[in-house]
Amino acid sequence: MSDHVYKKVELVGSSATSIEKAIQNAIETASKSLKHLDWFEVIETRGHIENGRVAHYQVVLKVGFRIKD
């Protein structure tokens, strides 16, 4: 295995559907401008409540990408 150098960025994804969709939205959007995304870590989850029901999910992620030579 080769030695690699990574950069970490923090993202916040959101979705009215699910936590998983909030994660996917953040990663899909970030992959349009960041290349070589390799991993993510969920740091925080939260949501918005309306009328006693979950109305929106928000997830804070740290995403790592490889810095190319």
Side-chain angles (χ1 to χ4, degrees):
M1 179 173 169
S2 300
D3 294 335
H4 297 293
V5 174
Y6 294 89
K7 170 88 174 151
K8 289 194 299 187
V9 296
E10 191 169 279
L11 305 172
V12 180
S14 63
S15 169
T17 308
S18 68
I19 291 170
E20 290 82 4
K21 185 63 177 162
I23 293 168
Q24 194 63 41
N25 287 343
I27 291 172
E28 284 179 3
T29 301
S31 71
K32 293 176 185 174
S33 60
L34 298 173
K35 302 303 175 202
H36 313 293
L37 296 176
D38 277 349
W39 54 268
F40 72 93
E41 175 183 3
V42 175
I43 302 300
E44 185 178 339
T45 57
R46 59 180 169 253
H48 177 72
I49 301 169
E50 285 184 9
N51 300 320
R53 298 183 59 94
V54 175
H56 212 85
Y57 301 90
Q58 194 175 55
V59 179
V60 179
L61 310 167
K62 286 191 181 179
V63 177
F65 61 94
R66 213 172 37 253
I67 297 177
K68 298 294 281 184
D69 295 336

